[in-house]
Amino acid sequence: LFRMLAHSALSALAGREAVFLSARAVSSKYPKPKPRHYRRRLFEAAVAPVMPKTIKQCTPPLQIHQNNVAYDKSYSDYEVALADLVRDYLKNEEFRVMAVCQFTSVPGRTLHFAKNQLRLKDIEFRNYGNKIMKKVFEGSPLSSLSPVFVGSNAILLGKTPESLVTISKECNKLNWIVPMVYVLDSRIVSSTEVEKLAALPALNCLYGETVQILNQQIGALPQSLDSIPHSLINSLSHLSVKEETTGDQ
Amino acid sequence: MASKAAARVRKKEVVKVIHSALLRTNIKAQMASAAPPLGPQLGQRGINVANFCKEFNKETGHIKPGVPLPTRIHVKPDRSYELEICTPTSSWLLKQAAGIRRGKQNTDEIAGMLSVKHIYEIALVKQKDKALVGVPLQDICRNLVKQCFTLGIQVQNEDLDPEVLAKFLDERRETVAAQLQALADKKAAKMLRTA
């Protein structure tokens, strides 16, 4: 009977006011039974603070959704300041290459060591979040990269065009980062083009090959010009020899 | 009542804890021993504690005894391990450079004084760590300055004046002695209360 009375008192209290469960400063090394003992619950209901009744507002779900979408799209002062900071950093450091990569979460230790290794190869790893990056490139030619900044992304930055190949090769070694699109001096380059470029030999070898081809063409020009008089001389000498032989006959 | 009886009857399940393969700890140079906390940490991971201590003390034989060294032990499945001994802790290096043994106790207290040259030299030492390979020296210096702020060490651009520094260290010695005395008195009062 006493238990029934206590339960009814508790439910009456719970019905009238909000019941707040307070935490005691006791050891948490042994589990407490859930729900707590009725005497404990009575005590907590009795010492619960008296709060004014909150008026429940009935908001349509569509309005809630629209409010949430508007809140997500808006930028706080801190986010705007961070976007400005990132923009200034990209300009001041004079980065020429940027790779937008899909980035899966890895333990902090692994990420720290990978960042250091990339830095040794003159590649900077940065992860500011998609919202900030969209704001950074807003109103610039790279604003067309906005559809890429979806999901979990990071950016890799380099200062020389050779960084394109370096980024591609280094990302092949890591299984938690995949480059999706590259940017070289405001020009967007797809990852397939960069992979073809990475398959080629080193840039110095390409320079040497280009110079060799040009030298060949330049060398072939006088040869082709000389070939006409040489062939004329040969044909005339051949004719003269033929005339001599027919004259002798 | 029923719950108490149930708790008495219910058996406690012993859960075997699987410890991580990486053990990060600070061990004093030439002072590795099987005593806690190091002994249990190594034993839980299946490492031969005596061999480890012998190896560690041998490898740190060239370092002054008692210097705290951050150590990373990678334990492999076959219970062998890779030992990585880093350069002394930044806080120890900073306190040594400032000539103090104790950091600040209160918020606005100045525990020591250093110049940026000290920070630079300490950064050169810390740069040799495997975890800091590839990190720019500027970032290492910034982290050291942050740590100075935590310890209460004032960093200045100009070189330290020996007379000013000597006077400061004398005053600091008295302040630390007073603080330690206050702590000892507090402890004694607590023991008398509880006795």
Side-chain angles (χ1 to χ4, degrees):
Chain A
L1 180 65
F2 181 63
R3 278 187 195 175
M4 281 169 61
L5 285 169
H7 178 71
S8 62
L10 187 65
S11 56
L13 277 167
R16 273 212 313 265
E17 293 143 359
V19 176
F20 291 94
L21 293 173
S22 59
R24 286 190 303 165
V26 294
S27 170
S28 59
K29 288 183 181 173
Y30 55 93
K32 297 275 193 307
K34 277 179 188 172
R36 300 294 299 275
H37 196 267
Y38 76 94
R39 267 190 244 153
R40 170 70 188 179
R41 285 186 285 155
L42 269 178
F43 166 73
E44 282 170 1
V47 298
V50 177
M51 300 291 288
K53 261 191 174 175
T54 50
I55 301 163
K56 239 184 159 180
Q57 275 187 330
C58 183
T59 322
L62 182 63
Q63 194 174 349
I64 295 172
H65 175 70
Q66 284 170 351
N67 291 346
N68 289 341
V69 167
Y71 180 77
D72 286 341
K73 282 186 180 171
S74 67
Y75 286 89
S76 68
D77 293 339
Y78 299 104
E79 285 168 337
V80 170
L82 179 57
D84 292 340
L85 203 69
V86 172
R87 202 180 297 119
D88 291 339
Y89 169 70
L90 294 176
K91 275 186 203 163
N92 294 341
E93 293 292 319
E94 294 175 2
F95 288 115
R96 291 182 64 188
V97 168
M98 183 182 76
V100 182
C101 311
Q102 189 171 7
F103 164 65
T104 48
S105 301
V106 285
R109 192 177 166 84
T110 312
L111 183 61
H112 174 78
F113 282 115
K115 273 189 195 177
N116 290 348
Q117 290 302 314
L118 287 170
R119 206 178 283 119
L120 286 173
K121 296 186 168 74
D122 298 325
I123 297 170
E124 281 290 332
F125 175 99
R126 288 282 189 268
N127 183 10
Y128 295 113
N130 292 327
K131 199 176 173 188
I132 301 294
M133 293 312 299
K134 281 181 188 172
K135 187 70 178 169
V136 167
F137 296 123
E138 202 179 57
S140 71
L142 295 176
S143 57
S144 52
L145 286 175
S146 296
V148 184
F149 288 111
V150 168
S152 174
N153 294 333
I155 54 170
L156 293 173
L157 302 160
K159 295 192 180 177
T160 55
E162 286 84 7
S163 304
L164 278 174
V165 173
T166 315
I167 289 171
S168 175
K169 285 182 180 169
E170 290 303 315
C171 289
N172 281 340
K173 293 178 196 170
L174 304 168
N175 59 358
W176 43 268
I177 190 164
V178 175
M180 293 185 290
V181 67
Y182 296 79
V183 175
L184 171 64
D185 291 336
S186 319
R187 188 179 149 232
I188 298 173
V189 182
S190 70
S191 55
T192 44
E193 284 181 32
V194 173
E195 275 164 25
K196 283 181 197 168
L197 196 66
L200 293 172
L203 212 58
N204 289 336
C205 298
L206 289 172
Y207 290 152
E209 276 180 30
T210 314
V211 166
Q212 202 180 6
I213 291 164
L214 287 171
N215 279 341
Q216 274 177 0
Q217 295 300 318
I218 291 164
L221 184 65
Q223 278 180 13
S224 62
L225 287 171
D226 280 341
S227 67
I228 296 164
H230 279 304
S231 64
L232 181 66
I233 291 163
N234 286 340
S235 53
L236 286 172
S237 62
H238 180 70
L239 276 170
S240 65
V241 164
K242 202 175 176 183
E243 276 175 12
E244 280 171 12
T245 50
T246 48
D248 287 343
Q249 282 176 1
Chain B
M1 297 280 270
S3 61
K4 278 185 189 169
R8 254 184 266 125
V9 167
R10 208 184 308 129
K11 220 177 169 181
K12 263 190 185 173
E13 288 174 14
V14 176
V15 178
K16 189 179 176 185
V17 177
I18 299 168
H19 296 278
S20 59
L22 172 65
L23 173 61
R24 296 172 72 228
T25 182
N26 290 352
I27 309 174
K28 292 191 176 168
Q30 298 184 45
M31 289 169 73
S33 69
L38 181 64
Q41 281 176 335
L42 295 170
Q44 280 158 3
R45 287 164 175 81
I47 299 173
N48 188 325
V49 184
N51 277 359
F52 175 86
C53 295
K54 218 182 283 180
E55 189 188 339
F56 181 86
N57 292 336
K58 191 178 160 191
E59 293 223 358
T60 55
H62 63 287
I63 301 175
K64 188 174 149 190
V67 173
L69 302 170
T71 314
R72 310 286 178 255
I73 304 157
H74 300 265
V75 184
K76 292 174 194 166
D78 61 353
R79 294 192 178 184
S80 61
Y81 58 87
E82 275 178 19
L83 179 60
E84 182 196 331
I85 302 173
C86 305
T87 51
T89 54
S90 306
S91 59
W92 185 85
L93 287 169
L94 289 167
K95 282 190 225 173
Q96 284 285 301
I100 56 173
R101 294 179 70 181
R102 209 173 138 76
K104 69 177 182 185
Q105 193 169 304
N106 307 316
T107 315
D108 294 324
E109 197 179 323
I110 296 174
M113 292 164 71
L114 284 178
S115 74
V116 289
K117 284 184 182 174
H118 292 98
I119 302 293
Y120 174 72
E121 292 298 329
I122 294 171
L124 285 179
V125 169
K126 293 302 291 183
Q127 205 181 28
K128 293 173 202 162
D129 265 352
K130 187 182 160 192
L132 293 175
V133 166
V135 178
L137 198 64
Q138 198 178 24
D139 289 354
I140 300 175
C141 290
R142 277 205 195 106
N143 286 335
L144 285 170
V145 171
K146 275 187 204 168
Q147 198 149 8
C148 284
F149 182 74
T150 311
L151 289 167
I153 297 175
Q154 195 180 51
V155 179
Q156 59 188 49
N157 288 330
E158 303 83 23
D159 289 345
L160 293 171
D161 186 9
E163 290 170 7
V164 171
L165 183 65
K167 190 182 165 193
F168 171 80
L169 286 174
D170 290 335
E171 284 168 11
R172 179 68 193 160
R173 210 170 292 124
E174 287 167 19
T175 315
V176 167
Q179 282 175 353
L180 290 172
Q181 183 63 39
L183 284 169
D185 292 341
K186 214 171 164 182
K187 195 174 179 182
K190 191 178 178 183
M191 288 199 51
L192 284 170
R193 270 204 311 273
T194 53

